[in-house]
Amino acid sequence: MTRGILHCGAWVYPVRAVPVPRFIAPSVRDHLYTWGMPIVVVTALAADSPVVDRLLVRLAEQVAEAISCEVGDVWSSFVPASAQRIGARVAAPGEQCPIVVVRGRARGADRVAAGMAAAARVTGEELGVPMEDVWVQWVDVEPGRAFAGGGLIG
């Protein structure tokens, strides 16, 4: 199982290592980074490392299958929340409402819906909450509105 690293307070799990040359031709950069989406970020109450590992690997597999892309094209991160409230009630593990934000290029409504459903299902299963308690939002990344690989993503 792939081990993650803690980067800027978030667990980052590269599913596939992509060697990036010093100079990246625009066509290659567009392939690596435009197709290197979606990016899935889960914010939830802290969980044990094996749970986070399993969650992020399964997210990559299930979201990729749902939207018809390669597993290695899904980047996933887990951001532990120090606390969560649902109204005035303090949320506890098993009673929390995880927040999942998927950033990706525009896709058909059916694929977006399938990707969000897969993310909700996997997140709920791994964190022990009902799928209905998981908030998932898909954010389309418009051309020229993200920077990666040394340049704007087209």
Side-chain angles (χ1 to χ4, degrees), residues 8 12 15 25 35 43 53 66-67 72 76 89 94-95 100 111 122 146 151:
C8 298
V12 179
V15 177
W35 293 99
T43 303
D53 281 342
I67 65 170
S76 55
R89 182 174 58 84
E95 300 174 350
V100 182
R111 294 217 177 171
V122 169

Side-chain angles (χ1 to χ4, degrees), residues 35 56 66 84 95 97 100 103 127 149:
W35 293 99
L56 296 181
Q84 186 183 77
E95 300 174 350
C97 294
V100 182
R103 291 175 178 87
L127 297 180

Side-chain angles (χ1 to χ4, degrees), residues 40-127:
V40 183
V41 180
V42 178
T43 303
L45 294 175
D48 294 334
S49 184
V51 172
V52 173
D53 281 342
R54 208 172 39 247
L55 167 64
L56 296 181
V57 169
R58 285 192 62 212
L59 272 173
E61 293 168 348
Q62 296 298 308
V63 169
E65 183 178 329
I67 65 170
S68 299
C69 76
E70 296 292 323
V71 172
D73 289 342
V74 180
W75 301 359
S76 55
S77 299
F78 181 82
V79 180
S82 59
Q84 186 183 77
R85 286 189 175 268
I86 302 166
R89 182 174 58 84
V90 174
E95 300 174 350
Q96 64 176 314
C97 294
I99 300 165
V100 182
V101 178
V102 183
R103 291 175 178 87
R105 61 182 176 78
R107 290 176 165 81
D110 57 335
R111 294 217 177 171
V112 169
M116 290 190 300
R121 184 180 59 256
V122 169
T123 301
E125 289 171 359
E126 293 299 335
L127 297 180

